[in-house]
Amino acid sequence: MNLRKLGKTNRMVSEIGLGTWQLGTRWGDPFNEAEAMKILEASYDSGINLIDTADIYNDGNSEKAIGKFLKTHPDHFFVVTKCGRGLNPHTAEGYTPENMETFIDGSLRRLGVEQLDLVLLHCPPTSVYHKDSLFAGMDKLVEKGKIAHYGVSIEKVSEGLAAMEYPIAAMEVIFNMFRLKPADALFPEAQKKDIGILARVPLASGLLTGKYTKDTVFGKDDHRSYNRNGEAFDKGETFSGVDYALGLQAVEALKALFGTQDLIPYALRWILMHEAVSAVIPGASKQAQVLSNVRAAQLPPLTREQMEGVAAIYNQYLRPSIHENW
C-alpha cells in the first residue's frame, strides 16, 4: 500500500483508507459489531492505516468499534472523525466552540483515546465557513491537547476555498469520475497551502461500481431511495447529485472505456491519479468490500487516453447538470 502525506498533519497515510458510515451494516440495517471487527481486521491486514468516521455514524457505534480495535492495534491507525451533524436543529448558530468541544469529548470517550488525530467540521451550513470565533475555538482545542489537528468536510468547492482562509490541516470533499470540479478549482489552492485532501463518496453511492441497473431496488431506509432530490440532506451526497438514469448511461460508457463490468478499481485509481489527493476513503459494509477496494492500489497508472476518456464522458453526460452546483 502506497503512503501519501496528509497535509499539515505530516502523517503518512495509506492512499486507500476506510470509510465507516456503513461499518458492519447496510443502510437502515442494525449495527453488527462482529462484522465491523472483521472489516477493521481486513483493513489492517491490507495495509490501510487511515480510518474515516464521525460521531453520528451508526449512532456512535462506529467510533466504539474503532476504539475497541485500537486497543489491540495501538499506534497503527490515523483516525479522522467528524462533528457537528449531531446538532438538532442543524443550524449555523449551533456551531459554537462549546458545542464542538462537547461533541469532541464524546468522540474521545467512544474511541478511548486521549487525543483525536484529526477532527473535521461535518458539512456545516455555508455561513459557518466565515465564523472566526468557531475556528479560534478549534485552535484552543488544539492548545488544550484534545485534538491534534482540525479541518472541514465540505459540500461545495466555494466552502473549501473559504475554509482555507483558516489554519486547517485537511479537508474532505466529494470527488470522483462524476464530480470533477474540485480538481479544477480547489486542488491547486490546497496544494499551495499544504492542505490534505480526502476524497469521499468515491464510488458515487455505489453507482460507479457498475453493479446497478434501472431495475435495482434500494431499501426504504436507504438514502438512495429517499434523498435523490435532496429531500433529507444535500442532494450531492446521493449518487454525487447525478440523475440516476443519466448516471447509468455514463456508467455504460465507462465500462466500454475500461473494458470491464467492474469499475471499482478503476474508479478509485482514477482518483489517485490526482497528486493533490492524500487518500480516497471508500466505505465497506462487509469484509469482502475492503479487499475489493484495495485492488485499486495494485493497478498501474491510468493512461492518458483513459483519463481523457473519463473527462469526455463527464462532459457529454454530466457537466451541464453537475459542474456548477457544487
Side-chain angles (χ1 to χ4, degrees):
M1 179 70 70
N2 293 324
L3 302 178
R4 301 187 181 195
K5 187 170 82 74
L6 182 57
K8 295 171 188 170
T9 71
N10 290 317
R11 178 67 183 262
M12 300 300 293
V13 298
S14 54
E15 62 183 9
I16 297 176
L18 173 68
T20 64
W21 185 7
Q22 301 178 76
L23 184 66
T25 183
R26 293 175 62 85
W27 281 301
D29 291 345
F31 177 72
N32 184 327
E33 183 181 290
E35 187 63 35
M37 301 310 286
K38 290 179 182 178
I39 291 168
L40 292 166
E41 191 68 49
S43 299
Y44 176 84
D45 290 342
S46 298
I48 291 173
N49 72 354
L50 173 71
I51 297 179
D52 170 72
T53 189
D55 53 4
I56 62 167
Y57 288 177
N58 289 311
D59 295 322
N61 284 313
S62 287
E63 284 189 334
K64 290 178 182 177
I66 294 165
K68 183 177 180 180
F69 195 79
L70 291 177
K71 291 179 181 178
T72 57
H73 299 81
D75 304 321
H76 176 77
F77 287 108
F78 185 90
V79 179
V80 182
T81 194
K82 300 183 286 293
C83 67
R85 298 298 296 195
L87 290 168
N88 187 18
H90 183 244
T91 63
E93 290 72 22
Y95 276 83
T96 65
E98 295 77 18
N99 284 341
M100 296 307 104
E101 184 168 13
T102 297
F103 290 137
I104 285 167
D105 287 342
S107 291
L108 286 167
R109 288 193 301 271
R110 286 184 293 274
L111 289 166
V113 296
E114 295 182 358
Q115 184 184 66
L116 301 178
D117 296 327
L118 174 62
V119 174
L120 307 180
L121 301 179
H122 198 172
C123 298
T126 299
S127 62
V128 169
Y129 297 98
H130 304 277
K131 203 168 183 179
D132 294 351
S133 61
L134 175 60
F135 288 93
M138 299 301 287
D139 287 332
K140 289 181 180 178
L141 290 173
V142 173
E143 293 172 7
K144 284 185 177 182
K146 290 189 176 185
I147 61 178
H149 307 278
Y150 70 88
V152 295
S153 181
I154 64 172
E155 298 286 3
K156 300 177 180 180
V157 164
S158 59
E159 295 171 342
L161 294 172
M164 283 192 281
E165 296 302 312
Y166 300 97
I168 62 172
M171 71 171 65
E172 287 184 7
V173 57
I174 295 176
F175 181 61
N176 56 50
M177 292 195 289
F178 285 174
R179 184 76 75 84
L180 272 59
K181 185 176 180 179
D184 297 335
L186 188 70
F187 290 0
E189 191 67 18
Q191 286 181 289
K192 288 179 187 176
K193 296 188 175 182
D194 192 23
I195 294 170
I197 295 291
L198 299 175
R200 65 186 188 90
V201 196
L203 298 175
S205 306
L207 193 50
L208 281 168
T209 64
K211 297 178 180 178
Y212 300 157
T213 71
K214 62 180 179 61
D215 298 317
T216 300
V217 176
F218 301 100
K220 65 180 181 65
D221 294 326
D222 189 323
H223 73 99
R224 293 172 292 185
S225 292
Y226 65 75
N227 193 60
R228 293 192 183 188
N229 296 304
E231 295 89 339
F233 43 83
D234 191 280
K235 177 182 176 181
E237 297 283 349
T238 303
F239 301 128
S240 294
V242 172
D243 174 79
Y244 186 67
L246 191 62
L248 290 177
Q249 294 180 47
V251 164
E252 289 306 309
L254 288 170
K255 288 179 179 178
L257 173 66
F258 290 106
T260 181
Q261 295 295 304
D262 180 9
L263 289 177
I264 294 173
Y266 295 94
L268 299 180
R269 189 69 184 87
W270 179 87
I271 294 171
L272 294 174
M273 291 294 293
H274 297 80
E275 64 177 13
V277 173
S278 299
V280 57
I281 46 174
S285 61
K286 53 188 177 181
Q287 186 178 10
Q289 291 174 336
V290 175
L291 304 180
S292 176
N293 292 337
V294 298
R295 288 180 299 155
Q298 301 157 4
L299 282 183
L302 302 187
T303 66
R304 177 188 296 181
E305 290 74 19
Q306 288 172 326
M307 296 297 290
E308 291 176 348
V310 171
I313 291 167
Y314 174 81
N315 289 336
Q316 177 181 352
Y317 292 98
L318 306 173
R319 179 181 282 270
S321 60
I322 294 296
H323 203 75
E324 295 308 316
N325 290 335
W326 289 279

